[in-house]
Amino acid sequence: MSKICRVLALLAACFVLPSLAEAQSTGMTWKFRSFHKNIVNVELYSYNRRHVWPGGGEVYSLRDFGAHNVNISCVPGERICFGAWVRGTESSSWGVGRNRKNSCKTCCYTCGNTKDTGVINLNAP
């Protein structure tokens, strides 16, 4: 294969593959309510690829007792688990906790099978 053909193939992959991944994604809504007196941080972790929501070192923060929606775009069939912890400490955590340090059986959902998790209550200890 000539250099020109390889470069063209590489360019095509750069533009076509991302659009295919986007075309195969679907939406999912997570709903959280914290009953802890302090701020609770939440992240969502993919177990099929190296992806975290919201990502970029950010977290979803629950600052009151209201129900909060987190809308994400995910890949159908992808297993996603939530981790939550009290800001500033990891002594109180839910789901898989911060950075997926724990295991759990009831904190994961499959993208495409579930459009809405229903309200996930994070009860104070």
Side-chain angles (χ1 to χ4, degrees):
M1 181 183 278
S2 72
K3 277 187 175 182
I4 293 174
C5 288
R6 282 185 287 213
V7 169
L8 290 174
L10 180 61
L11 287 173
C14 289
F15 291 104
V16 173
L17 291 178
S19 61
L20 287 176
E22 290 171 10
Q24 295 176 353
S25 68
T26 189
M28 184 176 182
T29 300
W30 291 72
K31 295 181 180 184
F32 295 99
R33 179 184 297 133
S34 170
F35 291 98
H36 200 282
K37 64 181 179 179
N38 298 314
I39 296 172
V40 171
N41 291 338
V42 178
E43 285 186 317
L44 302 172
Y45 305 98
S46 171
Y47 277 76
N48 299 86
R49 58 188 173 120
R50 294 184 58 146
H51 193 77
V52 178
W53 292 266
E58 300 292 321
V59 294
Y60 302 110
S61 295
L62 307 178
R63 301 172 185 271
D64 58 32
F65 301 134
H68 298 272
N69 291 348
V70 173
N71 297 308
I72 66 168
S73 181
C74 51
V75 178
E78 180 173 27
R79 182 173 172 239
I80 303 168
C81 303
F82 79 88
W85 64 95
V86 173
R87 178 179 284 178
T89 180
E90 293 181 35
S91 60
S92 293
S93 65
W94 299 267
V96 295
R98 186 176 189 178
N99 296 321
R100 307 192 302 194
K101 290 184 179 176
N102 305 319
S103 63
C104 75
K105 294 181 180 181
T106 59
C107 63
C108 302
Y109 294 87
T110 302
C111 179
N113 290 356
T114 305
K115 289 284 189 190
D116 181 332
T117 64
V119 177
I120 299 168
N121 290 311
L122 307 175
N123 296 316

